[in-house]
Amino acid sequence: MTAPFRFPRFFVTSPSPCPYLPGRQERKVFTELNGPHAGELNDALGRIGFRRSQSVAYRPSCAGCTACVSVRVVASDFVANATQRKLIKRHGDIEVTACRPWATDEQFQLLRRYLAQRHPGGGMAGMDEGDYADMVEHSPVNSFIVEYREPAKDGRPGRLIGACLTDQQADGLSMIYSFFDSEVENRPGLGNFVIMDHILRARAAGLPYVYLGYWVKGSARMEYKTRYRPLEVLGPAGWTLLAEEPVAVSAKTQAALEGELA
């Protein structure tokens, strides 16, 4: 049988400081996505834990560490909890549009605000317009930008308050990178809303999964990914459901959560 595409060549990056676990080093294995079968290769690699960045597919390959694990939401079985239902209702007036992967200045300015608000000094903080255009437009697979806007006024599109670069794979949607305005007072939880919109979007399209990238147990920056159940994690035995764990929430924290979504 003739293989549909040539077996890819893989490379390994040099070690660098881990952005999630202090004192550790990260290393990635990667390969290039190109040619007429780039989409098929990306689908196959996505099922074994790779992520896409422009025309490269990569996954962690750190010496002596397996903390980063791939996670995906089972979209067909997802049931929003009470807090998530309130969030969906609160943001029900947001206008959502799937656009072709073309970078705009409006998107870039929103990204700059997001990075300044959430990740100042992070690895992407120095991105310029060209870097952003490369991230969005240099895709060899089926990609699109989902835009989230406030309601239109006087026939004009509403203000852009969120966006997500998304790949459509054979078995689901892969959220490559999302960003939003976290300082809009009447729009709490925008990042959570973007994820839930993708889950509902995948379900409507008959796609079983939404890929959320990597999760590190114990990392506060990644804990939000465990809010979407059922959630599968990729391990040595393949994809398995992440067990529910009781989470202790203080009365003060619970009151804050309920207050911001009331």
Side-chain angles (χ1 to χ4, degrees), residues 61-72:
S61 180
C62 306
C65 181
T66 57
C68 290
V69 294
S70 296
V71 292
R72 65 186 185 186

Side-chain angles (χ1 to χ4, degrees), residues 9-19 24-32 50-51 53 56-63 214:
R9 298 174 61 192
F10 290 90
F11 307 88
V12 179
T13 64
S14 298
S16 60
C18 176
R24 299 196 189 184
Q25 297 283 302
E26 73 164 356
R27 190 178 64 175
K28 296 183 178 73
V29 59
F30 66 96
T31 189
E32 189 174 4
F50 279 73
R51 296 281 288 167
S53 176
V56 169
Y58 70 92
R59 65 172 295 175
S61 180
C62 306
Y214 301 113

